[in-house]
Amino acid sequence: MKKWLAVFMMAFVASPSWAAVAATLYKDPNCGCCEEYVKYLNAHGFAVKAVNSSNMSAIKQQYGSDKLASCHTMRVGQYTVEGHVPVAAIQKMLKAQPKITGISVPGMPANSPGMGPEVKGTLKVYVLNQSEKPQLFSIE
């Protein structure tokens, strides 16, 4: 019985569908809310590598998030995630794989993950693309 349980547990842990999603988050070394956002992501199935940077403007320009900027910029797969974006929006983007640069919650809304208690359904998530006019990214 113990042998079967050990085999089951090894298969469960090794399953790629349960693997954490790797991400790199660039942040100012003095920003506390960025650390809270990293904790939020790690608690929701991401493996986040936090990288301190003293030149966030250059990173935002490099990854296409400078027009809808927040305090931190994350790369996950081929996408940029700017600011305190809820996990549901990130997961939807990763699943759908749209042809966009990424998504953003610009600024630092008080009800966003890492900024205080998240109030689901109240945040506007925008598409990062080359369009002059910001477009909403639908989470539903």
Side-chain angles (χ1 to χ4, degrees):
M1 180 69 167
K2 287 182 182 181
K3 182 178 179 181
W4 284 108
L5 181 60
V7 169
F8 173 76
M9 290 304 291
M10 287 176 63
F12 179 76
V13 171
S15 173
S17 64
W18 294 99
V21 178
T24 302
L25 184 132
Y26 300 93
K27 67 179 196 64
D28 182 285
N30 301 309
C31 187
C33 70
C34 297
E35 290 297 329
E36 290 303 312
Y37 188 65
V38 168
K39 290 177 190 175
Y40 164 81
L41 291 170
N42 286 336
H44 287 87
F46 288 80
V48 180
K49 175 184 172 187
V51 177
N52 289 328
S53 173
S54 58
N55 192 356
M56 289 302 299
S57 295
I59 290 170
K60 291 173 190 317
Q61 287 179 338
Q62 177 182 354
Y63 293 122
S65 62
D66 54 318
K67 290 188 171 74
L68 292 170
S70 182
C71 57
H72 52 263
T73 304
M74 184 170 74
R75 291 291 294 172
V76 56
Q78 66 196 31
Y79 297 106
T80 299
V81 176
E82 180 68 23
H84 297 264
V85 177
V87 165
I90 300 169
Q91 290 170 334
K92 179 183 178 189
M93 178 183 65
L94 293 174
K95 184 177 179 184
Q97 297 187 348
K99 293 183 181 189
I100 60 174
T101 300
I103 54 179
S104 172
V105 170
M108 298 167 67
N111 60 325
S112 61
M115 290 296 296
E118 179 185 0
V119 181
K120 295 184 186 300
T122 62
L123 296 173
K124 290 184 179 179
V125 179
Y126 292 93
V127 172
L128 293 174
N129 60 21
Q130 302 304 320
S131 174
E132 291 296 319
K133 184 177 179 185
Q135 300 171 329
L136 285 174
F137 181 78
S138 173
I139 298 175
E140 288 112 31

